[in-house]
Amino acid sequence: MPLAAAPLCLFLGRGLLPWIFATGVCWVAFVIAIALALDLSGGSVITYQMGGWAPPLGIEYRLDALSAVALLIVTGAAAAVSLYSRPSVLREIEPANHGLFYTLFLLCVTGLAGVVATGDAFNVFVFLEVASLSTYCLVALGGRKDRRALSAAYTYLVMGTIGATFFVIGVGLAYMVTGTLNMVDLAQRLPPIGDNRTVAAAFTFIAVGMGMKLAMFPLHLWLPNAYTFAPSAVSAFLAGTSTKVAVYVLIRFLFTVFGLEFDFEQFALIAVFLPLGIAAMFVASIVAIFQVDAKRMLAYSSVAQIGYMILGISLATKTGLTGAILHMGNHAIMKVALFMTMGAIMYRLGTTSIPHMAGLGRDMPWTMAAFVIGGLSLIGVPLTVGFISKWYLIQAALELGWWPIAMLIVMSSLLAVIYVWRIVEMAYLQPSPPNRQISRAPTIMLLPMWVLVLANIYFGIDASFPTTLANQAALLLLGGQP
Amino acid sequence: MDTDFIIGHYNYWLVILLMMTGLYTVVSRGNYIKKIVGLNVFQTSVFMMYISMGKVSGGTAPILETGITLYSNPLPHVLILTAIVVGVATTAVGLSIVVRIHQAYGTIEEDEVNDADHRMEFGKEDLP
């Protein structure tokens, strides 16, 4: 549906109309996604055949519990950000480009939702590129304020395209040995082939390609700059969705398509994904501690959080996967909220560098309070969502008897305390500069921000809905055929 | 690895050669336009891999004549048509970003752009 809406948006021109329209579309999509998720949490599968062609030949859309989680993330983030975006877009993007901005935004939502919904391996690539191309443009729109956005967008484009092309090579190789592109079909035909070198190559290409897209350490170089220099609304949306969708694709291919039958896959999970996940948790957190710019700090912390997801995936047990999927959703909630606070600070203060935030806790109380709660969630303090998913990850590590990994998870969470504390200290404990006049953030920015923050706490206390959904998804993934 | 193997798989050798040329160009060149050219070469190699995959020896396209039973697999070709469109779009976006970079920095060499960024970030410190 956002696909049909995107071109329409282009004609609405400047002014208020594109915003109202885009926001409406996102909210409708979000409501549909909630309805779907409630439907799918029972473990059923919905399929829809494009153009009436039967699945192995035609393109099939296929939704199960895992897709429901990802779809909720995408549409939820889109709905919140679209509502929030108005003031910050007014400030940061030329008026003539507003219609274009919302068109790109809707296209990006379309692409991401498409990736999640499709059951066809090549279709994933097409939608991924729809989403990525609009993302490159959205990042480049930040070029008016800071020209570094342009080179960031360029780096992202080159890295993203290489990643996508690797993915296509992998899909091509898999097609070569199986003669099918449908994911369910692939999953049935791959195991009998056994340890074939072509299959191993296909696996490697897909894993590396997706690793690039999801900014898996050490392929994350494009991410910090792209998030830092993009317009605030765009960073909020990207942080919540684009990497999560890539994680979704990785999980989908690792578990649904390839299954766990292959020796080389087991080896890759333990020997490659696990150390890289842990390395990401530590290296990115340590780098985050030394950032001057708060947005860039949050971007590095995103890389670290992706490390947790990779860790959960690599454990390949039910609890581990549940943790990874939960963390996908929870991280989306908290990071979107955190980047929204950054957007509000940018709107009032004109910069997000940490030394400039002195005393901001008194000038913008609501925004900074939202930041503190989001930050606590990032650390994983009990009663916030961050705690739930980390709890699952630690439990998964302990189940396998790998207690050093559980220790590492806790230790890297302590690093998060340091970088969140730096901002909190600056905002609350430092005096504000004497001649600064700053009013509170506009209500329309605060509203979605606080909805997300409250969701943060609510799902931290009563986690039954997301946990059931994630549990169901993990069951489906490990149970082979859904 | 005998001669037959090497000659029989000549299309794959070409694909690998092109792929590595493209990737090397992307990594090693500092000029933004040259990087995009490299990216294109890289993508083309994948297109060729798909297309040669659909080839059946002695096969032809089942159009204009009836009664043809041996024909090439059309699906990879269709897929690659899509991929080519994506590639063109990527190139267009990439080049337009390069144009904007040129307007903003006055250069399209990566190291000069990085220098300018670095000077901007650390050259004039105005922190309290």
Side-chain angles (χ1 to χ4, degrees):
Chain A
M1 189 171 97
L3 179 60
L8 278 177
C9 201
L10 190 58
F11 295 114
L12 290 174
R14 48 188 82 183
L16 205 61
L17 275 176
W19 172 61
I20 296 174
F21 185 67
T23 310
V25 170
C26 291
W27 279 97
V28 173
F30 183 46
V31 171
I32 296 176
I34 293 178
L36 272 173
L38 289 176
D39 242 24
L40 293 166
S41 58
S44 54
V45 174
I46 298 179
T47 58
Y48 171 76
Q49 286 139 27
M50 283 295 268
W53 293 86
L57 283 178
I59 294 171
E60 177 198 30
Y61 281 22
R62 181 183 186 84
L63 287 161
D64 58 19
L66 177 63
S67 333
V69 177
L71 204 59
L72 269 183
I73 298 174
V74 171
T75 52
V81 172
S82 58
L83 183 63
Y84 159 93
S85 63
R86 178 72 186 159
S88 95
V89 166
L90 269 185
R91 178 70 53 94
E92 291 173 28
I93 295 169
E94 293 156 54
N97 286 343
H98 283 181
L100 282 174
F101 171 83
Y102 286 107
T103 312
L104 285 170
F105 183 75
L106 284 178
L107 266 179
C108 192
V109 176
T110 314
L112 294 171
V115 171
V116 170
T118 188
D120 183 275
F122 197 79
N123 216 240
V124 169
F125 163 71
V126 174
F127 275 123
L128 208 58
E129 283 305 278
V130 170
S132 306
L133 283 174
S134 38
T135 312
Y136 308 145
C137 299
L138 285 172
V139 173
L141 276 177
R144 178 191 177 216
K145 189 181 58 174
D146 190 332
R147 61 182 183 174
R148 281 173 291 177
L150 296 171
S151 42
Y154 184 87
T155 320
Y156 186 14
L157 181 131
V158 170
M159 300 276 283
T161 309
I162 293 178
T165 312
F166 267 36
F167 178 75
V168 182
I169 299 173
V171 171
L173 290 171
Y175 176 76
M176 218 186 252
V177 284
T178 57
T180 179
L181 286 168
N182 186 287
M183 288 186 195
V184 179
D185 236 25
L186 271 174
Q188 278 163 0
R189 294 196 199 177
L190 275 174
I193 296 168
D195 257 348
N196 183 311
R197 208 181 288 171
T198 316
V199 181
F203 173 80
T204 319
F205 271 118
I206 289 177
V208 174
M210 275 303 118
M212 234 147 177
K213 283 269 184 198
L214 64 81
M216 184 168 87
F217 181 84
L219 303 172
H220 67 275
L221 289 172
W222 56 268
L223 187 140
N225 276 339
Y227 281 14
T228 313
F229 300 123
S232 319
V234 176
S235 352
F237 181 64
L238 286 186
T241 54
S242 66
T243 48
K244 307 297 168 300
V245 167
V247 172
Y248 162 84
V249 175
L250 188 69
I251 296 181
R252 177 62 75 199
F253 271 86
L254 283 180
F255 294 98
T256 310
V257 174
F258 284 93
L260 281 171
E261 282 91 355
F262 296 104
D263 292 340
F264 59 78
E265 186 176 337
Q266 308 261 7
F267 172 76
L269 284 178
I270 300 299
V272 182
F273 282 72
L274 185 68
L276 285 183
I278 293 176
M281 277 155 42
F282 279 91
V283 177
S285 298
I286 291 170
V287 174
I289 291 175
F290 293 103
Q291 293 306 316
V292 179
D293 188 290
K295 252 172 124 181
R296 191 188 282 256
M297 183 204 87
L298 286 178
Y300 273 108
S301 117
S302 273
V303 177
Q305 303 293 322
I306 288 164
Y308 289 110
M309 291 169 221
I310 298 287
L311 177 69
I313 294 171
S314 68
L315 294 176
T317 60
K318 186 172 145 279
T319 332
L321 262 184
T322 311
I325 295 166
L326 269 180
H327 203 61
M328 216 164 100
N330 295 345
H331 178 236
I333 300 178
M334 54 201 178
K335 259 302 151 51
V336 173
L338 284 173
F339 270 106
M340 278 180 167
T341 63
M342 286 304 132
I345 292 171
M346 184 64 134
Y347 183 74
R348 285 299 182 213
L349 203 60
T351 173
T352 52
S353 101
I354 296 176
H356 281 109
M357 286 183 194
L360 216 54
R362 280 179 289 278
D363 293 328
M364 301 173 77
W366 286 97
T367 311
M368 285 321 288
F371 180 87
V372 170
I373 298 177
L376 287 179
S377 187
L378 201 60
I379 298 165
V381 174
L383 298 187
T384 59
V385 282
F387 174 70
I388 306 280
S389 39
K390 277 186 186 164
W391 177 251
Y392 267 95
L393 287 177
I394 292 175
Q395 229 177 5
L398 289 178
E399 261 173 27
L400 289 173
W402 296 350
W403 58 266
I405 291 179
M407 296 277 291
L408 289 174
I409 295 176
V410 176
M411 275 165 62
S412 69
S413 301
L414 292 179
L415 290 175
V417 177
I418 302 179
Y419 59 72
V420 171
W421 175 251
R422 281 183 60 217
I423 293 188
V424 173
E425 185 202 12
M426 200 46 106
Y428 284 99
L429 303 181
Q430 302 279 335
S432 47
N435 49 1
R436 190 174 61 182
Q437 285 299 318
I438 287 183
S439 47
R440 291 177 188 184
T443 319
I444 201 145
M445 294 177 106
L446 282 176
L447 193 71
M449 194 192 297
W450 272 92
V451 168
L452 284 174
V453 167
L454 292 179
N456 236 324
I457 299 175
Y458 176 74
F459 287 129
I461 297 170
D462 174 22
S464 58
F465 172 65
T467 324
T468 341
L469 206 56
N471 226 325
Q472 194 65 44
L475 265 181
L476 282 180
L477 287 171
L478 291 175
Q481 281 313 300
Chain B
M1 256 237 251
D2 49 26
T3 341
D4 277 351
F5 178 82
I6 293 173
I7 295 174
H9 289 73
Y10 74 94
N11 51 340
Y12 294 110
W13 302 123
L14 282 178
V15 165
I16 293 170
L17 188 74
L18 263 184
M19 198 181 281
M20 291 305 124
T21 316
L23 206 53
Y24 179 74
T25 315
V26 175
V27 176
S28 66
R29 296 294 131 172
N31 186 304
Y32 282 140
I33 303 243
K34 284 182 185 163
K35 268 180 190 288
I36 289 191
V37 172
L39 210 57
N40 270 323
V41 173
F42 177 58
Q43 284 181 321
T44 311
S45 76
V46 182
F47 302 162
M48 281 177 56
M49 185 190 86
Y50 266 80
I51 292 168
S52 61
M53 192 161 89
K55 168 77 179 164
V56 176
S57 43
T60 174
I63 44 172
L64 290 179
E65 283 173 57
T66 50
I68 294 174
T69 49
L70 189 66
Y71 52 85
S72 304
N73 184 354
L75 188 63
H77 300 186
V78 178
L79 294 180
I80 280 322
L81 260 178
T82 320
I84 290 174
V85 174
V86 172
V88 170
T90 313
T91 313
V93 173
L95 287 177
S96 49
I97 292 179
V98 173
V99 171
R100 289 286 311 275
I101 290 180
H102 185 67
Q103 285 169 353
Y105 289 87
T107 174
I108 52 168
E109 294 292 331
E110 193 176 26
D111 40 3
E112 288 172 27
V113 170
N114 287 346
D115 275 359
D117 281 351
H118 196 267
R119 251 178 286 138
M120 195 169 137
E121 204 164 337
F122 300 104
K124 44 179 173 76
E125 283 283 0
D126 58 344
L127 300 179

